[in-house]
Amino acid sequence: MNIIVCIKQVPDTTEVRINPETNTLIRDGVASIINPFDTYAIEEGLRLKERFGGKVTVITMGPPQAETALREAVSLGVDEAVLLSDRAFAGSDTLATSYALAMGIKKLGEVDVILCGKQAIDGDTAQVGPGIAIWLDMPQATYVKKIEDCKEESGKKVFRVHRMVEEGHEVLDVPLPCMLTVVKEINEPRMPSLKGMMRSKKAEIIKWSAADIQAEEENIGLDGSPTQVMRIFSPEQRKGGEMLHGEVHEIADRLQDVLKELI
Amino acid sequence: MDYLLTEEQIMVRDLARKIAQEKVKPIAAELDAKDEFSWPLMKLLAESDLFGVYIEEKYGGMGGGILELCLVTEELSRACGGIAVSYAASALGTDPIILMGTEEQKQKYLPDLASGRKIAAFGLTEPNAGSDAGAMECTAKKDGDHYILNGTKHFITNGGEAETYTIIAMTDKTKGSRGASAFILEKGMPGFTFGKKEDKMGIRPSATRELVFTDCKVPKANLLGKEGQGFILAMKTFDMSRPGVAAQALGIAQGALDLALEYSRQRQQFGRPICSFQGIKFMLADMAAQTEAARGLVYGVARMIDSGNTKVTKESAMAKMFASDTAMRVTTDAVQIYGGYGYMKEYPVEKFMRDAKITQIYEGTNQILRDVIANNLIKESLAASKK
Amino acid sequence: MAIEVIQQKCVGCALCLKSCPFAAIEMVNKVAVIKDNCVACGACIESCKFDAIILRKHDEGVLPEEEYADVWVFGEQKKSVIQSVVYELLGEGKKLAQKRGQKLAVVLLGDKGIEKQAQKLIQRGADKVYVVESPELKNYQDETYTCVLTKLIKDYKPEIVLTGATSIGRSLIPRVAVNLKTGLTADCTGLDIDEEKGLLLQTRPAFGGNIMATIICPHRRPQMATVRHKVMKEAQIDLKYKGEIIKIDAKDFCLSACAKLIDIIEAIEETINLTEADIIVSGGRGIGNPENFKLIEEFAKTIGAAVGASRATVDAGWIPYSHQVGQTGKTVCPKIYFACGISGQIQHLVGMQSADIIIAINKDPDAPIFKIATYGIVGDIFEVLPALIKKFKK
């Protein structure tokens, strides 16, 4: 089974803040990490390989330093890592990103399944996975929490998956090749191993430019990105109210008083 | 402080830290309350290749040394001393095989121990032979191709959980400590059973159990070294393993210091964080300096051993003694900084104090170690004056 | 379009480095250099006190020649019931349509008979309802819905398309957007029209809610956005409102799909839908351990509330994800929100700060939650909650 996992290197968002006085971002000491949701996709890729055999390839689009995210994936046991990096990709939005990743995956050859995290924590868009599925004309299942089995149906391999929806979950049969985005309920990512870390240090990362993947200029980077960020600003904070002091029963009295109309 | 670790050593330390902080720390209180050996965590350490950091590559290890072992033990202890000792005690059980095992014995046992598929334990202490190891009552009688073991070992860390045991028993009681021999035992050997499981003050997620030998038949091929070398092997093993206990104590001290520092910044009294009071500051400074001094000593001895130096008895004893006394002091002060909260089990810091105590006791009480250190000092001084 | 640094003007003050949300600027020989990961957001332009950073527009790009008009809302339905997020979208969509002087329309896909629901949409202000009925459209499925919505947009050319940021909306709309090669903004919390250019201004939280970004799609149409549930107010019901129902034959579409929906299993545990609840009692890490959710539940039961949770407790496995409130969980807008032992990290706040009344109970007087709480109680939840339970039981 040829398993592709798409990952993104993101800043550890819990640490990003806007300085309210200067209205600029405070990013000091913010580390770059693999998007946490993608770690579940990597783990599921490795588990699919353990269940059905094959090869796991991890792919990302980003600046040269995104290589560290790929090496981290290799330390977990991924077989091959591809970095799509080119000045021409700069400024890509989700449309252009999904196009570039789709072209990269095309160049990799035969694919059985593409795994993505449900969304990235910096943008929270959840758009790139479904976008890739359309560019490559594949069926998809989003928010997958379980890949139950893989069976043959009239000569085609089919995954039975469970996907999370608001009121519970859906069971779907998705023929391969397909694109799945996964939620954290699907597994518990493994820790890297020392041997994996040693291997990742020496591993060769495949680096492809826009030309290497035959990406059309109009579809990548700023030209291929219909959306633009017009401005960024600090979220408006709600104002604080009253602090209730005194003995617990006094506070309870007071609360009952103010809420009696509502409860 | 920069200890000029190699890239690989930093990798080992960071991986151990990641596992300790992400996987051990969140469940440390639960493990302590449950008083239960954690196989899931041992499996995790095994899958991350940490069990083999100090074992040669040809036996499936990572080819590092005692320093690597110490780095892992220290990081694990920062989260939980009990998990750390389960890990380090496997090394203690493995060390005799590394020191005196034949090529055949090494090929047979080391790969499983390096991968963590199996863990090891070391059995010397007996109910009536603690500090006075020479008073051992456990016997091994030669009988054709076998030795027949009879007796009891107690307070054995990893007892019952380990697959591989290195046991010291008397082959010739008339010779005293020179009549002791070492054996490799496997769980399940006929006549090898387990007794009482101890209910401990600290390091509760580690298994401490009695080993009982009743006409236990051990093949001759499992004798480690020669007959009569058992006691020397035990002493050499301690030379190698005491930095590990020291690293455990060091990690416990560091973990308690981390907590105390964080708490002192958050806790407000008299309208300001308590870390702004001189009384607390002085305590924090002393705790940090003592911990760092212990670290310097521990890493120094570990490096001495890794460079091939075999005369490390005195230094090894110093590291263990100093680090464990430091751990006791630092954890006690950490509880003090937490005040009343520190005494409550709801807060994590009292566990560090309970975990620290044992490090002053096992693998040679600190009183015995002072004796060892002083004896070596006097011996060296004598030798120097004769020149 | 690209950000450029005028080297002669740059003094190397490095102010722009701090302003860049994407770490896309570095200092080389004391001059700012724009790196590859720049997305041309322009944050640095404002930060530069020396006017050394400019946004160079290569070519303005031209809008498609065809006329695009109307604001569309995707009429999400489950079991033929219109989902409440659709009414929220209609409320917001109406304002946008009025500002643009255009019509508001809904696309309603479903099983035979779904047309009956169209009147409800008109009563909420829809001028047009496009209806496609077919057994294949009974339940949402990625491929069939993508195909129908793509074709409808191509045929009727709306200027704006809005969808709820639900699991359906977020699976469907990125597919449609790629088919149409147009822009899509996810998870918006604010929508408006730029009066000068008539563009849709799409505002959304980014970086876990730490910053807000306004996004535009200047040169392609339609402009598409998903909108968070419970952020916008529902459209009022107007029984007299007149609208047109436009039925389109399902035969016009390719309704075959590779992936097959086998079953829908509803979770039993979720007795109260969190997003719809009027009162929510949430527990955070401050409750100490998973067992203490029982106290939260008891209080919730006493006052008829739903139980919510912070990300920390969900991550620790104390309570299922379906209870999570916040950026990566649910956005809620109850009348009363009790935050028990929740410190109030920004990613939690973005999910609940539009509640009418927020009551925070926390041991730590400096917990950020108190900065936004209507009523703050510094105290032990194990004392306060039992007292409240006793009080409200009476």
Side-chain angles (χ1 to χ4, degrees), chain B residues 117-338:
Chain B
R117 278 189 294 274
K118 293 178 178 170
I119 63 171
F122 178 70
L124 173 69
T125 303
E126 295 182 11
N128 296 317
S131 295
D132 181 9
M136 208 181 315
E137 289 163 0
C138 187
T139 58
K141 245 198 187 143
K142 202 166 180 185
D143 178 24
D145 283 348
H146 288 83
Y147 286 90
I148 308 294
L149 266 69
N150 276 292
T152 307
K153 296 284 172 188
H154 85 161
F155 296 166
I156 305 306
T157 307
N158 287 348
E161 308 294 340
E163 292 283 332
T164 308
Y165 295 78
T166 44
I167 302 295
I168 314 293
M170 302 302 283
T171 38
D172 187 347
K173 269 198 158 174
T174 60
K175 289 186 182 162
S177 61
R178 283 169 199 273
S181 302
F183 301 90
I184 307 171
L185 267 70
E186 290 167 31
K187 192 178 182 173
M189 279 181 165
F192 178 13
T193 53
F194 303 103
K196 190 176 134 212
K197 192 174 182 292
E198 306 295 342
D199 184 7
K200 303 186 293 295
M201 173 187 190
I203 57 164
R204 290 169 65 82
S206 68
T208 308
R209 230 170 145 177
E210 222 173 30
L211 313 180
V212 182
F213 311 110
T214 323
D215 292 333
C216 173
K217 245 178 116 176
V218 179
K220 219 174 77 183
N222 283 28
L223 176 71
L224 258 177
K226 294 187 187 124
E227 267 190 39
Q229 287 185 325
F231 196 74
I232 295 166
L233 178 57
M235 295 307 118
K236 281 186 186 285
T237 297
F238 285 145
D239 287 350
M240 264 177 93
S241 68
R242 279 180 184 141
V245 180
Q248 188 200 353
L250 168 61
I252 292 171
Q254 186 64 54
L257 174 59
D258 295 341
L259 285 171
L261 191 56
E262 197 189 331
Y263 182 82
S264 70
R265 287 193 293 115
Q266 284 165 2
R267 173 71 173 171
Q268 300 248 350
Q269 289 289 277
F270 307 101
R272 50 193 174 122
I274 59 169
C275 69
S276 65
F277 296 106
Q278 196 180 41
I280 301 287
K281 276 187 189 165
F282 280 12
M283 286 172 82
L284 289 171
D286 285 342
M287 289 157 78
Q290 286 163 7
T291 305
E292 203 61 64
R295 185 172 288 118
L297 191 49
V298 174
Y299 290 7
V301 178
R303 282 189 161 130
M304 205 174 149
I305 299 170
D306 291 340
S307 68
N309 208 319
T310 53
K311 291 205 169 92
V312 293
T313 307
K314 183 185 68 185
E315 291 75 11
S316 223
M318 283 177 169
K320 191 268 186 184
M321 178 199 89
F322 186 80
S324 58
D325 284 348
T326 298
M328 202 61 238
R329 242 187 341 258
V330 169
T331 54
T332 307
D333 283 351
V335 170
Q336 192 68 24
I337 287 174
Y338 265 72

Side-chain angles (χ1 to χ4, degrees), chain C residues 58-76:
Chain C
H58 288 318
D59 64 272
E60 258 294 79
V62 268
L63 267 179
E65 281 181 15
E66 301 114 308
E67 279 294 308
Y68 282 78
D70 290 358
V71 176
W72 276 22
V73 167
F74 172 68
E76 182 173 334

